[in-house]
Amino acid sequence: MLVASTDNSELQKVFRSLSGEFELTNLGDVSHFLGMEVRRVEGAYNIRLQSYIEELLKTHGMSEAKPAKSPMDPGYLKDQSESKPLEDAAKYRSVVGSLLYLSVVARPDIANSAAILGRKFSNPTELDWTAAKRVLRYLKKTKNYTLRLGGAFDEPLSGYSDANWAGDLQSRRSTSGYAFMFGGATISWASRGQSSVTLSSMEAECVALSEACQEAIWLRLLLADFDRRQSRMSRFRSY
């Protein structure tokens, strides 16, 4: 578990309290946590998952694969041709599960790709497997990417939302996306299919904006608990 505080005496108080109930070891400043490599640099935390990505590539025989410049081929979503069902669906689910973990923890750049591949969990095809391997090849090229948290404490909460209209050619459902920044860092993001079919691009944008507003309200309440109450949103833009 991680314990954080701006007051070192409070950290020691929490540790003594927990030690009275459980057998604990204090490992000092965090360096690795749940597959994440954490480094503190100039008052900010840099989170990287290089070791996790390298192990993922090794597990699926992609260590020597050719790197890709982007996580997904734009033609994948437009391809409606019949593709052969994947014989080993378990390996597809394993890869996509790992991609979802990466996208949630520290890689917002693959969030949309992981969400799209997650739609094919039950019946993946060879085409879907090729798309999943494309994301792995992209991760090989970008395994050194880090997510920087902190470093600009005077920057208030700001958010952005967007949507594509009827991006899923089978269900005709749109995709919502949002990202929120605080203190010079991206702290919350999501890309997910909408629960209903919208009849226009404006309606799709409104649904995405509604979902982003829910996240904004929750983040404001969370920051208030940390005594960083936000009197207003500095930016909230829908594209």
Side-chain angles (χ1 to χ4, degrees):
M1 64 181 295
L2 293 178
V3 181
S5 175
T6 56
D7 187 342
N8 188 59
S9 62
E10 285 296 320
L11 287 176
Q12 297 303 319
K13 180 179 178 181
V14 171
F15 183 71
R16 288 194 299 270
S17 178
L18 290 174
S19 297
E21 302 293 334
F22 308 99
E23 182 178 346
L24 298 179
T25 300
N26 188 346
L27 300 178
D29 291 342
V30 61
S31 59
H32 292 82
F33 186 73
L34 297 178
M36 295 179 286
E37 303 163 49
V38 184
R39 297 290 183 271
R40 189 172 186 179
V41 181
E42 298 177 353
Y45 286 94
N46 291 339
I47 300 178
R48 187 175 67 176
L49 294 117
Q50 180 176 348
S51 298
Y52 185 94
I53 292 172
E54 290 176 347
E55 185 62 29
L56 179 62
L57 293 170
K58 180 180 178 181
T59 299
H60 295 282
M62 299 287 291
S63 298
E64 303 301 324
K66 181 180 179 181
K69 295 182 179 180
S70 60
M72 182 163 283
D73 183 353
Y76 169 67
L77 292 176
K78 300 177 182 179
D79 194 335
Q80 300 188 64
S81 60
E82 291 292 331
S83 181
K84 181 181 177 182
L86 190 64
E87 291 185 3
D88 186 3
K91 67 178 181 180
Y92 178 85
R93 297 184 185 113
S94 175
V95 167
V96 175
S98 297
L99 296 180
L100 288 170
Y101 173 74
L102 286 166
S103 70
V104 168
V105 172
R107 293 299 300 264
D109 52 329
I110 67 167
N112 187 51
S113 301
I116 291 172
L117 294 172
R119 300 171 188 171
K120 305 297 181 68
F121 241 58
S122 57
N123 296 300
T125 65
E126 294 287 350
L127 183 65
D128 301 325
W129 176 237
T130 300
K133 290 192 292 184
R134 169 67 177 257
V135 183
L136 291 178
R137 293 194 292 115
Y138 170 75
L139 288 173
K140 181 182 179 181
K141 182 178 179 62
T142 60
K143 61 184 179 182
N144 291 323
Y145 279 15
T146 62
L147 179 68
R148 182 178 173 86
L149 299 178
F153 300 106
D154 57 336
E155 291 190 15
L157 182 67
S158 60
Y160 306 85
S161 76
D162 198 3
N164 77 339
W165 181 44
D168 191 325
L169 297 181
Q170 294 182 342
S171 67
R172 307 306 297 179
R173 293 185 178 181
S174 306
T175 300
S176 297
Y178 62 73
F180 286 90
M181 312 282 290
F182 178 72
T186 305
I187 62 170
S188 178
W189 59 87
S191 176
R192 62 173 69 97
Q194 295 182 358
S195 59
S196 60
V197 177
T198 53
L199 303 181
S200 67
S201 59
M202 176 180 286
E203 186 179 353
E205 293 284 357
C206 287
V207 172
L209 187 59
S210 173
E211 295 176 359
C213 286
Q214 295 176 51
E215 183 71 7
I217 292 172
W218 182 82
L219 287 173
R220 285 165 60 91
L221 292 173
L222 178 64
L223 289 171
D225 287 342
F226 285 104
D227 199 26
R228 296 300 301 272
R229 192 176 301 276
Q230 302 295 296
S231 59
R232 61 183 179 85
M233 292 282 290
S234 66
R235 293 186 300 271
F236 198 171
R237 299 175 181 173
S238 178
Y239 292 90

